[in-house]
Amino acid sequence: MLAVQVVTPTGPTDVQVREVDPPVPGPHDVLVEVHSVGVAFPDLLLSRGEYQFKPEPPFTLGVDFAGVVLDPGSPESSGFTVGQRVAGVNLNGGAAEQVANPAIFTFALPDSLSYDEGAALPMNYLTALFALEERGGLREGETVLVHGAAGGVGTATLQVAKGLGARTIAVVSTDEKAAFARAAGADEVVVGPDFKDAVKELTGGKGVDVVLDVVGGDAFTDSLRCLAEQGRVLVVGFAAGQGIPEVKVNRLLLGNTDVRGVGWGAYAMTRPGYMQQQWHRLAPMIESGVVKPPIGATYDLADFGRALVDMDERRTLGKSVVRVR
């Protein structure tokens, strides 16, 4: 079968589509015929050998995927059946014609979603749910400010926040991204790096209850300044590439505010059953239509490396997807 592999960890332009042996499922795995693969930031880091998880090359990329069950293993334990549509997530291995994935990291894909949408769901939407609910303690009626709101995690956060009953303010860098964030469900959109004053105006001077920050850099300090009393900044990533921002903790004391880290993967993968609980939490949001992943660019399997370069150079909107078949 064909798989997208890192042979040498020298970056996305060097990933290769290679012929490899089909996977052999373990006793707790589901064998899936892959139709679509999400393009994820960990794939980019893995291609460079910069991710905290460092498999020995050659290895197959692909964090999240969607397809059809070929072998459910034990139906009694996995709950899946042959031919069932599923989505799944793991540290790697999904960017191939077949993947053997743990049943606990594999989810029933509703018929209302395409394979592309299924491949866009697991990592971004489960991260957003973990950030807002588990780490952010988001309550109905609160206001969430989302940085990088036209990206994959950003659009997921807009939709999950809406599903949890919150008001959303999207921060983006261009008018094109503003239109994309609005289409994804943002209540308000602010364009440009000088978002602080606009946010104060939109909240009547109160500030926001939660900030989800995938950008870091110069925006971080202004995010703290945007918080309402008892507000929370959720640190998800540092896409700005400007280094790791620092917190003057006296600001937290004076405003009764928090800065909280969000590391969904390390948390969820060490708690069997947690991802399934999260998926069930998302199910009514999918059914209502509030969660429907916006797909940006789509690519052929041979262009997986180009998809990673486009993401790295911030040319993509929403979630990019590679079509395997």
Side-chain angles (χ1 to χ4, degrees):
M1 70 169 191
L2 295 177
V4 178
Q5 292 209 307
V6 172
V7 179
T8 56
T10 48
T13 57
D14 291 331
V15 302
Q16 299 178 25
V17 177
R18 307 173 76 212
E19 189 74 36
V20 301
D21 293 333
V24 178
H28 305 293
D29 290 342
V30 179
L31 183 64
V32 177
E33 176 188 80
V34 178
H35 286 235
S36 298
V37 184
V39 180
F41 195 65
D43 290 316
L44 180 63
L45 297 179
L46 281 164
S47 77
R48 294 171 171 160
E50 295 174 353
Y51 200 46
Q52 58 261 37
F53 166 64
K54 297 185 184 299
E56 192 68 30
F59 62 87
T60 300
L61 292 174
V63 172
D64 37 15
F65 61 87
V68 175
V69 173
L70 293 175
D71 182 351
S74 168
E76 295 80 16
S77 60
S78 77
F80 297 108
T81 57
V82 174
Q84 185 174 357
R85 301 169 77 250
V86 293
V89 66
N90 209 330
L91 293 168
N92 69 302
E97 291 183 311
Q98 294 181 19
V99 61
N101 203 55
I104 59 172
F105 302 157
T106 308
F107 321 102
L109 182 63
D111 290 339
S112 60
L113 297 179
S114 67
Y115 290 116
D116 287 354
E117 290 167 334
L121 266 169
M123 189 183 76
N124 288 348
Y125 282 78
L126 299 183
T127 294
L129 184 62
F130 174 72
L132 293 172
E133 200 166 50
E134 189 88 34
R135 300 296 294 132
L138 183 67
R139 294 179 286 273
E140 188 173 355
E142 289 191 317
T143 300
V144 179
L145 176 69
V146 182
H147 287 292
V153 174
T155 51
T157 302
L158 292 172
Q159 295 184 354
V160 172
K162 182 68 71 179
L164 295 173
R167 176 194 183 201
T168 56
I169 302 174
V171 177
V172 296
S173 57
T174 67
D175 290 338
E176 180 190 18
K177 291 180 178 180
F180 198 86
R182 282 194 188 93
D187 293 312
E188 312 282 354
V189 181
V190 178
V191 180
D194 301 323
F195 59 89
K196 180 168 66 72
D197 292 341
V199 168
K200 288 289 186 184
E201 185 175 339
L202 287 169
T203 59
K206 175 181 178 287
V208 298
D209 302 291
V210 173
V211 175
L212 186 124
D213 187 7
V214 298
V215 177
D218 295 338
F220 183 80
T221 300
D222 279 344
S223 293
L224 286 174
R225 292 175 176 147
C226 285
L227 289 177
E229 189 174 17
Q230 297 194 59
R232 296 83 77 193
V233 174
L234 307 177
V235 179
V236 181
F238 312 102
Q242 297 173 338
I244 308 299
E246 297 182 357
V247 181
K248 292 186 177 180
V249 294
N250 64 313
R251 184 179 298 281
L252 308 182
L253 183 153
L254 293 171
N256 285 308
T257 53
D258 297 335
V259 176
R260 303 179 184 178
V262 178
W264 167 75
Y267 185 92
M269 287 190 170
T270 56
R271 288 164 173 81
Y274 180 74
M275 285 192 205
Q276 295 293 336
Q277 294 170 19
Q278 285 196 293
W279 194 263
H280 289 306
R281 190 84 173 93
L282 282 180
M285 301 183 199
I286 296 170
E287 289 169 13
S288 71
V290 70
V291 162
K292 192 168 179 64
I295 306 301
T298 58
Y299 302 81
D300 294 331
L301 190 66
D303 294 323
F304 199 101
R306 182 166 64 86
L308 291 177
V309 171
D310 288 346
M311 181 179 66
D312 189 31
E313 296 178 356
R314 304 182 75 173
R315 288 200 291 264
T316 56
L317 300 172
K319 180 79 167 182
S320 296
V321 172
V322 169
R323 291 172 174 167
V324 179
R325 50 172 52 81

